[in-house]
């Protein structure tokens, strides 16, 4: 119930902020994206959502919590690696500490002991790491089955898959079964949010797109605290990445009073 409430609150935030932007150059693939969005939506309605509803109905809440904790604990390892790659050493070490504590005292991650110990949980992937290091997101794209993404994040997906410890589990039958359970559990956690989305009298495609892009940018910039990296361009330091300040105007470094005197002299 706690996880569902969190996603319900997130959905309410997106309702208020998701329509702040309209169609832009970030979505030149809109025709393809809408078709893929409809495909994914249909697949969700006929298969994934019913499975998630059945799962939520018959599975005790403590079992759902344990499953979510287990896979979340696995994800902390890759999150730790990406935080370290982004230069966030303290967060990276904290994530690894979470994994170590939950894997031991939390019985393989079934219990989230780290959160009870006030060790914060993060969620980072390689797409975010590329964004922090100045790689532009590129156009928005809707992937079959996977949903919302960008060109940058799509390129990062293979490495994200390899960085997921569950992708290395054998035998394959166990891995595939766990992957299905993981997917259904994640979908069940989003039932309240998706119901709210379906009831919203909006263009659902634009709602999802704009909400995704804004939330993704916020995660990359750490809510505005991100300090962009710098590259040496034409002999000058140029800020790159999310939050970079726009280039100064040509005369921005000229004292306004001196500029007026120069014009009067002319």
């Amino acid at each position: 119930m706690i996880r569902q409430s969190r996603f319900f609150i997130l959905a309410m935030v997106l309702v208020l902020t998701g329509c702040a932007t309209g169609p832009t150059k970030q979505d030149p693939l809109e025709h393809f994206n809408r078709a893929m969005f409809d495909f994914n939506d249909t697949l969700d309605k006929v298969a994934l959502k019913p499975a998630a509803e059945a799962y939520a109905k018959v599975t005790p809440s403590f079992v759902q919590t344990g499953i979510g904790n287990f896979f979340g604990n696995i994800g902390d390892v890759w999150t730790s690696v990406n935080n370290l790659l982004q230069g966030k050493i303290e967060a990276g070490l904290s994530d690894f500490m979470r994994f170590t504590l939950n894997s031991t005292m939390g019985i393989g991650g079934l219990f989230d002991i780290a959160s009870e110990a006030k060790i914060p949980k993060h969620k980072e992937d390689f797409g975010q790491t590329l964004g922090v290091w100045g790689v532009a997101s590129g156009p928005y794209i809707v992937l079959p089955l996977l949903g919302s993404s960008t060109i940058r994040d799509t390129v990062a997906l293979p490495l994200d898959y390899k960085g997921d410890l569950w992708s290395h589990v054998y035998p394959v039958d166990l891995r595939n079964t766990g992957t299905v359970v993981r997917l259904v559990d994640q979908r069940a956690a989003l039932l309240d949010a998706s119901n709210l989305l379906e009831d919203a009298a909006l263009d659902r495609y634009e709602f999802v797109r704009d909400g995704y892009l804004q939330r993704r940018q916020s995660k990359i910039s750490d809510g505005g605290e991100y300090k962009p990296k710098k590259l040496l361009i034409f002999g000058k330091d140029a800020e790159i990445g999310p939050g970079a300040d726009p280039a100064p105007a040509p005369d921005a470094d000229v004292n306004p009073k001196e500029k007026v005197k120069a014009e009067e002299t002319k």
Side-chain angles (χ1 to χ4, degrees):
M1 292 299 295
I2 295 177
R3 287 192 299 148
Q4 291 181 352
S5 298
R6 183 167 66 249
F7 280 104
F8 183 80
I9 293 173
L10 171 62
M12 289 297 295
V13 172
L14 291 180
V15 166
L16 297 176
T17 63
C19 295
T21 59
T24 67
K25 62 181 181 180
Q26 287 183 298
D27 192 11
L29 305 174
E30 183 172 347
H31 181 73
F32 166 84
N33 287 338
R34 283 186 179 274
M36 193 56 61
F37 178 86
D38 291 340
F39 170 79
N40 289 342
D41 193 44
T42 299
L43 184 63
D44 179 70
K45 288 179 179 179
V46 301
L48 188 55
K49 185 178 179 180
E53 290 174 335
Y55 168 85
K57 184 176 181 179
V58 305
T59 307
S61 59
F62 73 91
V63 175
Q64 296 181 47
T65 300
I67 292 174
N69 287 342
F70 174 77
F71 286 108
N73 182 54
I74 290 176
D76 284 340
V77 176
W78 187 232
T79 289
S80 174
V81 171
N82 279 286
N83 266 326
L84 293 174
L85 289 174
Q86 294 171 26
K88 295 183 283 190
I89 307 301
E90 183 178 350
L93 295 177
S94 171
D95 295 324
F96 186 74
M97 186 182 300
R98 280 186 58 89
F99 173 75
T100 302
L101 184 60
N102 285 339
S103 297
T104 53
M105 297 183 63
I107 312 178
L110 293 177
F111 298 95
D112 190 0
I113 305 299
S115 290
E116 295 181 8
K118 307 300 182 182
I119 301 177
K121 184 176 181 64
H122 308 103
K123 185 68 175 73
E124 304 288 330
D125 54 52
F126 194 63
Q128 289 172 247
T129 298
L130 292 177
V132 167
W133 284 101
V135 178
S137 66
Y140 173 73
I141 185 170
V142 180
L143 302 175
L145 304 180
L146 299 178
S148 295
S149 186
T150 61
I151 297 299
R152 178 195 61 216
D153 296 342
T154 301
V155 171
L157 280 177
L159 197 55
D160 283 330
Y161 175 78
K162 288 296 183 181
D164 180 10
L165 294 186
W166 190 254
S167 69
H168 302 284
V169 169
Y170 289 94
V172 176
D173 289 346
L174 175 61
R175 183 203 310 164
N176 292 341
T177 300
T179 299
V180 172
V181 172
R182 184 184 199 175
L183 177 62
V184 173
D185 178 75
Q186 291 175 342
R187 183 62 182 87
L190 289 168
L191 284 173
D192 287 341
S194 64
N195 290 336
L196 177 65
L197 173 60
E198 291 171 2
D199 292 339
L202 301 164
D203 182 328
R204 293 179 62 244
Y205 168 78
E206 288 188 7
F207 178 90
V208 172
R209 179 197 65 194
D210 296 345
Y212 171 82
L213 291 175
Q214 290 180 29
R215 184 166 180 265
R216 189 68 174 165
Q217 179 63 29
S218 177
K219 288 174 70 68
I220 291 173
S221 64
D222 287 337
E225 297 178 358
Y226 165 73
K227 294 182 179 180
K229 309 300 178 184
K230 292 187 176 183
L231 287 181
L232 192 64
I233 301 178
F234 301 121
K236 298 181 179 179
D237 283 338
E239 292 187 346
I240 61 173
D245 294 329
D251 295 328
D253 57 343
V254 178
N255 187 304
K257 293 182 178 180
E258 293 181 356
K259 186 175 180 180
V260 170
K261 289 182 178 179
E263 292 178 351
E264 290 177 351
T265 301
K266 293 180 182 179

